[in-house]
């Protein structure tokens, strides 16, 4: 069940990163949305590889 949670976080991270890239092209204030997406991607991959407890 936790694995599904981190897979969903991974998908949300990719969506946030894509939205952040699009919004950052309009205004530099939205760069943080893409950064948040990247952090979610790295966190979920880290937890998926290291077998969450």
């Amino acid at each position: 069940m936790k694995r599904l949670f981190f897979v969903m976080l991974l998908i949300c991270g990719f969506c946030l990163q894509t939205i952040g890239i699009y919004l950052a092209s309009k205004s530099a204030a939205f760069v943080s949305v893409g950064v948040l997406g990247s952090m979610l991607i790295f966190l979920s991959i880290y937890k998926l590889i290291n077998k969450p407890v």
Side-chain angles (χ1 to χ4, degrees):
M1 196 65 181
K2 286 193 174 208
R3 186 172 181 89
L4 178 65
F5 174 73
F6 288 113
V7 169
M8 291 301 291
L9 267 183
L10 183 66
I11 293 170
C12 289
F14 278 120
C15 291
L16 272 177
Q17 193 175 34
T18 304
I19 292 169
I21 290 170
Y22 172 74
L23 290 176
S25 68
K26 305 289 182 196
S27 171
F30 292 107
V31 171
S32 60
V33 176
V35 172
L36 178 65
S38 298
M39 288 171 49
L40 281 178
I41 291 169
F42 288 129
L43 173 75
S44 56
I45 289 176
Y46 174 77
K47 290 291 188 178
L48 284 171
I49 289 175
N50 288 329
K51 308 229 188 307
V53 177

